[in-house]
Amino acid sequence: MSAQLNLILTGPPGCGKGTQARRLVEKFGIPQISTGDILREAVASGSEIGKRAKAIMDRGDLVPDDVVIEIVRQRLTRPDCKPGFVLDGFPRTLAQAAALDGILRDSGREPARVVALTVADDELRRRVLARGEGRTDDTEAAVAKRLAVYKRDTEPVLAHYGSAVKRIDGIGSLDEITARIERALA
Ligand code: ADP
């Protein structure tokens, strides 16, 4: 494997990318950067960004590109990102992907590698509505919206990265899926 692991772990809501990202943190010694987690922390802290983001997130829409791009740009400058990072939930739009490509290029880093977890829609809906994390966007209406937004705005990001994208079956045990991701990256 190359020296730096700049990884985008993507997939629809409920595909398990957050769980797998946390496992990769331990395996590879790189930080997980979850824009969803960062935004939820902003909401909890009552910051200006949090106040703007809450209603958008609760209905399952995307927070504006400039907000999340700035969050990621700043986060990637921290020293723990030197060996790489696993981005979880970013980029979600073509504008975010183009911004990330530019950030990596301008900082002389390797281009991102992309792993996409695939899970059928019915299973996604079942998982999210069953997970009981108490997220205010895990309602029937918000989940339907998040799935639609994923197809409309995020699937084109996979096309942007083209044949570099490794698609991984997201059905199986946690260990199996982690092993599939590691094989795809080897
Ligand atoms: P999920 O993948 O289950 O939808 P996330 O935690 O990744 O959960 O995201 C939750 C919400 O946070 C999204 O529905 C969206 O409102 C907001 N969000 C997270 N990442 C981004 C992003 N990259 N761009 C815009 N909005 C985002």
Side-chain angles (χ1 to χ4, degrees):
M1 185 169 310
S2 54
Q4 231 177 43
L5 179 56
N6 300 335
L7 179 64
I8 296 169
L9 185 57
T10 187
C15 72
K17 58 189 184 301
T19 304
Q20 291 298 329
R22 284 188 286 280
R23 295 176 137 229
L24 299 178
V25 165
E26 286 172 30
K27 299 239 178 216
F28 295 107
I30 51 177
Q32 172 198 18
I33 302 176
S34 160
T35 42
D37 285 350
I38 294 169
L39 290 166
R40 279 185 288 278
E41 280 163 24
V43 171
S45 76
S47 71
E48 259 335 291
I49 286 179
K51 281 182 202 151
R52 280 175 63 193
K54 177 161 173 50
I56 299 172
M57 294 171 75
D58 282 351
R59 62 174 189 262
D61 269 324
L62 294 182
V63 172
D65 284 332
D66 58 337
V67 174
V68 280
I69 288 168
E70 207 37 49
I71 287 172
V72 170
R73 185 193 306 283
Q74 285 179 21
R75 181 66 185 83
L76 289 180
T77 64
R78 298 222 318 238
D80 62 340
C81 293
K82 261 232 158 74
F85 49 78
V86 48
L87 275 169
D88 153 16
F90 182 98
R92 258 176 154 95
T93 65
L94 283 173
Q96 293 177 21
L100 176 65
D101 295 350
I103 292 168
L104 295 179
R105 202 176 41 237
D106 294 348
S107 53
R109 304 181 65 122
E110 290 182 28
R113 306 185 67 187
V114 187
V115 168
L117 292 175
T118 61
V119 174
D121 283 5
D122 285 355
E123 172 67 9
L124 294 171
R125 245 179 249 113
R126 197 191 60 74
R127 284 187 189 180
V128 174
L129 296 174
R131 71 182 167 191
E133 282 170 17
R135 270 173 55 173
T136 48
D137 61 349
D138 281 351
T139 62
E140 200 98 40
V143 172
K145 179 77 198 214
R146 280 152 61 204
L147 275 170
V149 167
Y150 179 81
K151 285 180 214 272
R152 186 190 66 199
D153 295 331
T154 309
E155 278 183 356
V157 172
L158 297 184
H160 167 81
Y161 288 110
S163 58
V165 178
K166 309 277 187 188
R167 289 173 197 267
I168 307 268
D169 179 6
I171 304 282
S173 72
L174 294 182
D175 285 342
E176 272 162 11
I177 296 164
T178 306
R180 285 176 200 149
I181 295 172
E182 287 182 272
R183 275 201 299 277
L185 294 172

